[in-house]
Amino acid sequence: MEWHEFSKEYFEIEKAKLKSGPLEGIVVLDVSRASPAATFASALLAEMGAEVIKIEPPEGDELRKLTPFGEIYINDTGLPFLVEGRNKEFITLNLEKAEGRELFKRLAIHADAILESFEPGWMDSMGIGYRQIREINPGVIWVSFSAYGCFGRNAKKFSKVPDSNLFGIAMSSYMEANRELPEVGEPYNLPTAPGFWMATNLAGVYAAAGVVLALYYRTKSGKGQMIDITSVDSMIHVSPSIFWSHAHGEPLFVGVLPLDYAVFPYAYWKIKDGYVFASGFTDPNFRALITQLGAEELFEKYPNVFARIKLENQKVLYQELAEKFEQLTFADLTKRMLEWREQNREGVAVYMKVTTPKEVLEEDYWKERGDFRDVKVGEDTIKVIEPVWRLSKSPLKLKWLAKDVGEDNGFVYKKFLGLAGKDLEELKKEGLI
Amino acid sequence: MSNSKGYFEWAEETFDIKRIFEKPEALKGIRVLDVSQVLIGPETASLLADFGAEVIKIEPPGMGELLRSVDLWSRFWKNNSVGVMWVQRNKYFFGLNLKHPKGKAIFYELVKRSDVIVENYVPGVMERLEISYKHLSEINPRLIYISISGFGQWGERWNWPSWDAAGQAASGASAVSGYEERIPMKLPYYPGDLLGGAAAFMTVLAALYHREKTGEGQYIDVTQAENLARHLSFIWSYVSKKREDWKRLGNRDASMVANAFKTKDGRIVTITAISNKHFEGLCKAMGKEELLEKYPDLVSRLKPGAREEIDNEIKSWVELLDGQEIIEKSAEFGFSAGIARNSVEVYEDYHFRDRGTVWMYNDPLFGEMVHAGNPIKMSETPARVKWTVHPVGYHNRYILKNILGFTDEEIKKLEEEKVIGYWVDFFGRTPPPDFDPEKDPLFRW
């Protein structure tokens, strides 16, 4: 049996449905407001099987109102909240009122982890911060999401500043690197953010990882702890630029798209049927690439990585290869790559079509991997992305999407606080839920 | 008791980076064999090492791993690649020939004593080397084995070679980035690898937690392309519902008031207002409270005409101010504003040094050194960077003696038989010029 057939058996999608997620039995309260980072983090914890209770103010989390171009709302909920509301339970609670905060405390006793995104210090000043909750729940894991964090010399001064995706992208120096060559002119040579929520989603991944790590440590020590997460810390971590400035005492020269500052060729080119990524930067790989393109004579001119990485040489080489690429389709390129491999020749050139979201949704690869699913929401059906990281024994799962504001009030308040029927009606009347 | 202190005073003390080395490490006692190279696997293993796992990086003797040949602008600071330093934190460097039968036998002995394997070769390679999950789970059923690849261990692209940008291209991440009339953006600093590493780290922790409860190890399949696709989140739902493709919008966010603008002093600032409170703060800062009356709720602000009007108002306000003035306003009025900073500005930001995000330390090989500190700031079990990359085989003796109990004579024999080995005198491989390994007790162990 070949490896791909053998390995597939570890992850069989039908069997995975019968297995439990790694965080089964863990209770998480997500009391964040208008926070894409916390919302992504709690979605990941919910995919891992935790019981995530999303606590909204009675009028709903404002994140529900976000949707691309204000176009698609399902049950008054925009797509970001709908999609990342996955597997969560939805309750309402008014934390502006003292009685609401008392109810929060009673819920917090049952929580393994609590996620919040208020201004640093606000929950503490209201008597429901980490310092107070750990007194009644010593094992609690508390995640605070903010822009500048809870510590560091500017934390207090900038505590009112909300975190955001563009903030993390810009302040980390990531945005500075993402722009075209100077000569192409504005706005294309100005710092540009990626077209998806990279910074806040990444902060969400690190936060979810931090919660699992803290849970692991708690099994050994019995101790809970607090975790401080920002999108800018997250983005600095994935940018190598500060090393350069330390080593060479100057800003890293970046912003050379479609070229690269570390490897060449490692770029996108226009081809007959769209755009392609192509690479071959070690000598044998470069030779493989240019030979497959019918330009092997270039090797003598650019025989090593030092010759190829020089920006002026990259520009010339890019143009010379561009003339070859524009005559080819992606199918032509893959055919040449496979022939090369079958002949067992030295070096590997890598090609990949720059695929649009619509194209992705039509490709067999993603269908076979089970990466997308149609999910019913009320009368509507919507296509969503599944958890994509596969664990053979304790798989992640997508169960449902965001529900209505307060839809699980009855269930959650009964389960954790024994409140039902009349009690809930009272709370509603007082504007607490 | 503790509440007598102000919140920020308490937080400074609780997260004080000067106290990190007095605190416990969450992954102490966990041993990881890192059989990966370039970025995604090495970063996954480094994140584990940040929190105290003992990570043994196994490289072929001589040239070692591929990324040692690659540096930003091929400049090679102190003989080494800052690109490699980036993702090689706190590891033990073992130059072991896995193709030699004795090398493989040593590897199997290590597997019996390890908790996690990280690898990122093209699927099928580990099986040919007889060190796939199939082989190793028989030796150690508690093993957590993560295979990271471009497209996965199974499915029609299972044996496709991949780099970060191939994952970007395949996932739609590039196609949604940049400007509609331009070539899609190959996003910088290799997010296919580094975002993938973050998720891979998360799954290993989930598997460790699962093992605490059940005693069983497991196999994990993480891919560059699928991980980036997960980051596109609601874009998939939008595209399928609309039956038309996503347009590249430059810096403008389609789902909230968020865009980038040019200041009086020529800086690029980002302005974001998600909630009503943030938008109110922004309008007050601009002296345009009538905008809040005109667009009182989020939904009204997202409509095509409204977005252009609001963006134009922000644009003409930003043009009159310097970048730093906008940052000051954000603190005063409570909206989100950032400057597109360069690497020196981040490096010299003492707020981020206080947070250990710009982590200054004394490296045993490189001396005064910086690292991008771990972004998960934990109060009880904080992450720490102790050292960065070492030459191939630097910790051979330390590993063989301490973990496997080899003697000096046996190690000498392994060297002669080329089962283990060290670095070659080639760019990107040698220690810093002022460092003498022969005088180093760890190397001479």
Side-chain angles (χ1 to χ4, degrees):
Chain A
M1 199 188 277
E2 277 206 82
W3 173 248
H4 65 106
E5 296 164 304
F6 185 86
S7 64
K8 190 174 179 178
E9 291 183 2
Y10 289 119
F11 304 102
E12 251 186 285
I13 294 170
E14 282 310 308
K15 279 189 194 153
K17 285 180 187 161
L18 306 171
K19 299 174 184 170
S20 297
L23 299 189
E24 210 81 24
I26 292 297
V27 174
V28 178
L29 304 182
D30 174 1
V31 69
S32 70
R33 299 275 173 83
S35 170
T39 301
F40 200 65
S42 63
L44 301 180
L45 295 168
E47 286 181 342
M48 286 188 257
E51 179 176 3
V52 175
I53 301 163
K54 166 76 185 175
I55 302 176
E56 297 177 80
E59 66 278 14
D61 183 353
E62 284 180 275
L63 205 64
R64 283 184 183 264
K65 301 295 173 198
L66 268 54
T67 208
F69 311 101
E71 285 174 7
I72 300 170
Y73 290 93
I74 296 173
N75 298 342
D76 283 333
T77 300
L79 294 177
F81 192 93
L82 184 75
V83 169
E84 300 308 343
R86 54 184 60 196
N87 305 358
K88 300 175 195 175
E89 291 160 7
F90 291 83
I91 68 166
T92 51
L93 181 57
N94 189 346
L95 295 179
E96 308 290 329
K97 294 195 173 182
E99 300 94 318
R101 294 195 285 274
E102 278 312 306
L103 277 174
F104 176 76
K105 274 185 166 173
R106 287 171 62 193
L107 279 172
I109 292 171
H110 301 276
D112 297 288
I114 297 176
L115 278 54
E116 60 96 0
S117 70
F118 291 97
E119 287 175 28
W122 184 81
M123 289 188 91
D124 188 86
S125 69
M126 291 289 123
I128 50 169
Y130 173 59
R131 286 196 286 183
Q132 296 93 12
I133 298 301
R134 72 172 176 183
E135 298 288 324
I136 52 174
N137 179 356
V140 76
I141 293 155
W142 185 283
V143 191
S144 169
F145 292 84
S146 62
Y148 286 81
C150 306
F151 66 103
R153 66 193 63 188
N154 292 333
K156 191 174 182 182
K157 177 181 171 188
F158 288 95
S159 60
K160 270 171 79 176
V161 176
D163 197 14
S164 69
N165 183 58
L166 290 183
F167 177 81
I169 299 285
M171 295 293 271
S172 60
S173 88
Y174 190 87
M175 195 168 176
E176 162 80 2
N178 194 35
R179 57 203 165 95
E180 292 191 55
L181 283 162
E183 54 264 36
V184 303
E186 294 185 6
Y188 313 116
N189 63 2
L190 296 177
T192 309
F196 58 99
W197 295 351
M198 184 192 282
T200 43
N201 285 349
L202 180 61
V205 175
Y206 285 130
V211 169
V212 183
L213 182 56
L215 283 168
Y216 174 78
Y217 180 70
R218 198 178 70 174
T219 63
K220 311 257 170 199
S221 67
K223 283 184 183 156
Q225 57 184 315
M226 177 166 156
I227 303 172
D228 178 3
I229 292 284
T230 74
S231 63
V232 57
D233 287 338
S234 304
M235 289 309 298
I236 290 173
H237 188 75
V238 300
S239 310
S241 56
I242 56 169
F243 292 80
W244 178 274
S245 292
H246 175 79
H248 306 300
E250 61 190 34
L252 172 61
F253 177 63
V254 280
V256 294
L257 292 177
L259 307 174
D260 199 88
Y261 28 73
V263 275
F264 187 87
Y266 192 87
Y268 291 174
W269 275 273
K270 193 144 185 32
I271 51 172
K272 258 186 176 169
D273 52 345
Y275 299 96
V276 72
F277 163 70
S279 90
F281 53 89
T282 62
D283 293 344
N285 293 356
F286 178 63
R287 203 190 275 273
L289 177 84
I290 56 176
T291 309
Q292 286 167 31
L293 289 171
E296 48 274 59
E297 72 281 0
L298 290 172
F299 194 80
E300 280 160 39
K301 261 163 96 181
Y302 308 101
N304 58 53
V305 291
F306 294 99
R308 295 193 288 273
I309 198 66
K310 288 196 180 85
L311 188 57
E312 58 269 35
N313 292 359
Q314 279 201 44
K315 287 180 188 172
V316 177
L317 257 169
Y318 182 82
Q319 279 311 328
E320 287 184 84
L321 297 180
E323 285 159 29
K324 307 284 181 189
F325 276 113
E326 64 191 18
Q327 295 166 32
L328 299 166
T329 62
F330 184 62
D332 296 334
L333 289 166
T334 25
K335 192 163 157 256
R336 290 175 190 198
M337 178 175 85
L338 290 173
E339 280 170 9
W340 188 272
R341 191 197 280 189
E342 274 158 26
Q343 293 161 9
N344 256 325
R345 297 177 71 176
E346 200 196 358
V348 181
V350 172
Y351 307 103
M352 181 53 57
K353 194 166 190 297
V354 180
T355 320
T356 68
K358 195 154 170 277
E359 288 167 342
V360 164
L361 291 172
E362 285 153 15
E363 284 177 337
D364 290 339
Y365 162 76
W366 304 87
K367 285 179 189 157
E368 185 184 355
R369 297 277 293 177
D371 287 321
F372 298 97
R373 186 178 1 144
D374 290 314
V375 179
K376 267 186 87 95
V377 192
E379 303 288 287
D380 240 305
T381 301
I382 191 120
K383 195 178 285 296
V384 290
I385 186 154
E386 291 259 6
V388 294
W389 315 285
R390 289 170 179 79
L391 280 73
S392 65
K393 300 265 176 68
S394 56
L396 279 63
K397 279 177 249 181
L398 168 64
K399 299 170 195 162
W400 63 81
L401 300 183
K403 305 184 201 173
D404 286 348
V405 181
E407 191 170 330
D408 296 304
N409 276 347
F411 169 70
V412 171
Y413 282 111
K414 176 101 203 299
K415 178 176 174 183
F416 291 97
L417 305 184
L419 300 171
K422 260 200 201 135
D423 310 324
L424 291 181
E425 277 167 38
E426 275 304 306
L427 292 175
K428 204 165 182 183
K429 229 183 275 168
E430 291 167 34
L432 292 173
I433 66 170
Chain B
M1 33 176 265
S2 53
N3 289 12
S4 60
K5 249 178 219 146
Y7 178 74
F8 289 98
E9 196 186 337
W10 167 81
E12 287 297 330
E13 214 167 88
T14 302
F15 290 94
D16 186 357
I17 63 167
K18 290 193 285 299
R19 288 180 51 211
I20 281 180
F21 284 91
E22 298 160 18
K23 293 183 178 180
E25 297 179 294
L27 296 180
K28 196 172 176 62
I30 294 295
R31 182 172 293 142
V32 180
L33 302 182
D34 173 7
V35 202
S36 67
Q37 62 171 353
V38 186
L39 288 171
I40 191 165
E43 166 66 4
T44 305
S46 280
L47 287 166
L48 295 163
D50 285 348
F51 290 101
E54 181 191 80
V55 178
I56 299 171
K57 177 174 172 68
I58 294 170
E59 289 178 280
M63 292 293 275
E65 81 140 83
L66 184 62
L67 198 69
R68 289 182 184 269
S69 300
V70 179
D71 193 19
L72 302 163
W73 300 114
S74 289
R75 203 158 153 181
F76 294 98
W77 179 62
K78 296 193 178 183
N79 296 341
N80 281 258
S81 158
V82 300
V84 173
M85 288 169 185
W86 187 25
V87 291
Q88 302 294 351
R89 305 184 291 279
N90 306 349
K91 295 183 191 175
Y92 295 89
F93 290 80
F94 191 18
L96 180 67
N97 182 358
L98 286 172
K99 290 176 180 161
H100 193 294
K102 282 191 180 173
K104 198 171 288 172
I106 289 173
F107 183 75
Y108 288 148
E109 285 306 308
L110 278 175
V111 169
K112 288 180 197 163
R113 295 162 174 80
S114 296
D115 302 283
V116 180
I117 306 273
V118 179
E119 70 89 6
N120 67 349
Y121 285 86
V122 176
V125 170
M126 292 294 117
E127 205 214 7
R128 286 203 294 282
L129 287 169
E130 298 172 315
I131 54 172
S132 72
Y133 181 65
K134 183 172 81 180
H135 298 95
L136 303 190
S137 59
E138 281 174 24
I139 302 175
N140 179 358
R142 282 174 57 85
L143 193 66
I144 292 158
Y145 188 123
I146 180 164
S147 285
I148 314 172
S149 58
F151 302 97
Q153 302 299 308
W154 51 274
E156 65 170 43
R157 297 178 184 171
W158 72 282
N159 58 356
W160 287 21
S162 174
W163 299 113
D164 156 86
Q168 291 189 40
S171 63
S174 281
V176 301
S177 298
Y179 290 86
E180 192 61 17
E181 65 277 20
R182 303 291 295 180
I183 191 166
M185 281 180 144
K186 177 172 63 72
L187 299 167
Y189 300 154
Y190 320 108
D193 286 338
L194 272 284
L195 272 55
F201 168 64
M202 177 183 81
T203 61
V204 170
L205 296 175
L208 276 169
Y209 185 71
H210 177 77
R211 195 180 72 170
E212 279 308 300
K213 292 188 298 182
T214 63
E216 60 182 12
Q218 61 182 311
Y219 189 41
I220 306 172
D221 179 17
V222 167
T223 79
Q224 289 168 322
E226 291 173 302
N227 180 65
L228 281 174
R230 182 68 184 85
H231 276 264
L232 266 60
S233 180
F234 58 89
I235 290 176
W236 304 109
S237 309
Y238 179 84
V239 166
S240 67
K241 198 87 189 159
K242 291 279 291 183
R243 298 176 195 282
E244 57 186 57
D245 243 321
W246 188 262
K247 298 264 190 298
R248 293 191 289 279
L249 300 166
N251 279 314
R252 181 179 156 190
D253 193 306
S255 309
M256 58 175 98
V257 172
N259 208 338
F261 307 90
K262 209 178 202 178
T263 63
K264 193 176 148 199
D265 58 345
R267 302 300 305 259
I268 297 301
V269 298
T270 66
I271 305 275
T272 305
I274 301 181
S275 74
N276 264 341
K277 196 174 144 206
H278 308 161
F279 189 67
E280 188 184 337
L282 173 63
C283 291
K284 279 188 178 153
M286 295 197 295
K288 294 267 178 196
E289 273 129 308
E290 63 272 22
L291 268 184
L292 185 64
E293 284 160 37
K294 192 168 172 191
Y295 301 113
D297 64 280
L298 268 92
V299 182
S300 68
R301 298 195 279 267
L302 292 174
K303 303 290 180 194
R307 265 314 291 279
E308 272 83 64
E309 186 188 339
I310 293 165
D311 279 8
N312 275 331
E313 293 284 0
I314 301 173
K315 180 172 175 281
S316 41
W317 175 64
V318 167
E319 275 168 1
L320 303 173
L321 298 169
D322 285 349
Q324 199 49 46
E325 290 178 278
I326 307 239
I327 297 296
E328 295 295 325
K329 298 256 184 214
S330 76
E332 188 184 344
F333 291 94
F335 60 94
S336 193
I339 296 187
R341 304 195 293 180
N342 70 30
S343 56
V344 167
E345 291 174 291
V346 177
Y347 174 65
E348 289 176 349
D349 186 327
Y350 281 82
H351 175 68
F352 288 99
R353 290 196 185 188
D354 291 347
R355 290 178 63 71
T357 297
V358 177
W359 176 274
M360 306 301 295
Y361 75 109
N362 204 0
D363 187 84
L365 260 70
F366 294 92
E368 193 188 306
M369 184 62 187
V370 69
H371 235 290
N374 193 290
I376 308 165
K377 313 294 182 195
M378 303 181 83
S379 63
E380 294 295 315
T381 57
R384 61 209 71 177
V385 181
K386 303 165 200 167
W387 63 84
T388 185
V389 72
H390 282 56
V392 179
Y394 191 92
H395 298 100
N396 283 358
R397 299 175 63 82
Y398 179 82
I399 293 159
L400 288 167
K401 286 190 169 181
N402 270 5
I403 303 172
L404 297 174
F406 277 73
T407 63
D408 286 325
E409 294 72 46
E410 287 167 326
I411 291 172
K412 205 168 168 222
K413 193 144 182 273
L414 291 174
E415 287 169 359
E416 284 161 8
E417 291 174 329
K418 300 201 181 318
V419 176
I420 61 166
Y422 302 88
W423 62 93
V424 285
D425 190 11
F426 195 77
F427 73 88
R429 270 76 186 175
T430 44
D434 53 350
F435 188 79
D436 183 3
E438 295 303 328
K439 285 186 186 148
D440 185 73
L442 206 51
F443 179 67
R444 299 295 317 156
W445 196 267

